[in-house]
């Protein structure tokens, strides 16, 4: 992956970490999941490297910053496939949970554009936050930036990869 995108992702997470205790900023950033209130994120993301005129880039920044505002637990491991697997198998559900959560996960994989994907991530991020599951925000940023079949395959490998056969 492109080193500039990786640097951009790491810088964004660093800036978010510095502001994580600012309740006003976090409240504004949570608005990034909603089209009608996303403009509340713009003063921050524009200063943090986002070109607001570029719709795709703006949606990526809005999504990642909203995700952070909901779930400040940061990890350097995994991707959204990992997160979805943890949500699905948590609460004692084990591997059986993968089947019940599969529809929601497959909905992510069917998205062809970042704006469509962003609309589906909000609920999953909020669920991860409620279950105290840490997220790899830099990886989420990079995955959204390079959204393609390769990223979908990486997520699928994490979600289904180590599922034992019955």
């Amino acid at each position: 992956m492109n080193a500039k995108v990786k640097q951009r992702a790491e810088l964004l997470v660093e800036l978010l970490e510095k502001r994580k205790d600012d309740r006003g900023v976090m409240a504004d950033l949570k608005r990034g999941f909603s089209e009608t209130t996303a403009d509340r994120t713009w003063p921050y993301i524009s200063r943090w490297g986002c070109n607001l005129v570029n719709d795709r880039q703006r949606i990526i920044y809005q999504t990642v910053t909203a995700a952070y505002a909901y779930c400040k637990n940061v990890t350097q491991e995994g991707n959204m496939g990992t997160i979805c697997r943890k949500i699905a198998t948590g609460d004692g559900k084990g591997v059986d949970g993968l089947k019940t959560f599969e529809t929601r996960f497959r909905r992510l994989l069917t998205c062809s554009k970042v704006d469509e994907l962003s609309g589906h991530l909000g609920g999953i991020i909020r669920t991860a936050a409620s279950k105290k599951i840490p997220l790899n925000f830099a990886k989420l940023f990079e995955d959204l930036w390079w959204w393609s079949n390769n990223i979908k395959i990486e997520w699928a490998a994490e979600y289904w990869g180590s599922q034992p056969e019955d």
Side-chain angles (χ1 to χ4, degrees):
M1 301 272 173
N2 188 317
K4 283 188 177 191
V5 173
K6 185 173 181 64
Q7 287 175 326
R8 190 181 274 223
E10 290 169 355
L11 176 62
L12 179 61
V13 174
E14 184 180 310
L15 292 166
L16 288 165
E17 286 282 292
K18 287 180 183 177
R19 303 298 292 271
K20 73 179 176 184
D21 294 324
D22 188 327
R23 292 173 54 181
V25 171
M26 292 299 124
D28 285 340
L29 294 179
K30 284 179 180 179
R31 308 289 187 145
F33 281 135
S34 169
E35 283 185 42
T36 57
T37 59
D39 60 280
R40 300 278 296 271
T41 68
W42 298 350
Y44 308 104
I45 65 175
S46 66
R47 291 190 301 258
W48 296 341
C50 176
N51 175 3
L52 292 178
V53 177
N54 182 319
D55 291 341
R56 186 176 168 282
Q57 192 175 124
R58 187 179 64 250
I59 290 167
I60 292 168
Y61 272 83
Q62 287 171 187
T63 302
V64 174
T65 58
Y68 183 90
Y70 276 102
C71 181
K72 296 178 194 87
N73 297 325
V74 179
T75 184
Q76 305 300 315
E77 305 296 321
N79 59 32
M80 284 307 297
T82 312
I83 300 308
C84 289
R85 182 180 181 84
K86 287 179 180 181
I87 291 169
T89 60
D91 300 331
K93 296 176 201 156
V95 179
D96 290 337
L98 292 175
K99 293 175 187 148
T100 59
F101 194 79
E102 191 169 311
T103 303
R104 287 185 74 188
F105 181 67
R106 283 183 183 273
R107 198 171 300 135
L108 299 178
L109 299 180
T110 62
C111 296
S112 58
K113 295 184 180 178
V114 170
D115 58 343
E116 181 184 2
L117 176 62
S118 176
H120 294 295
L121 283 175
I124 291 172
I125 299 293
R126 286 188 283 273
T127 301
S130 73
K131 295 180 179 293
K132 308 258 188 278
I133 299 171
L135 272 73
N136 186 342
F137 296 100
K139 180 70 172 143
L140 176 59
F141 183 95
E142 292 176 55
D143 286 353
L144 295 178
W145 194 275
W146 301 113
W147 186 243
S148 65
N149 279 337
N150 288 340
I151 301 299
K152 292 176 187 184
I153 291 167
E154 288 176 15
W155 288 14
E158 286 292 316
Y159 187 77
W160 288 298
S162 60
Q163 184 177 345
E165 187 68 37
D166 291 333

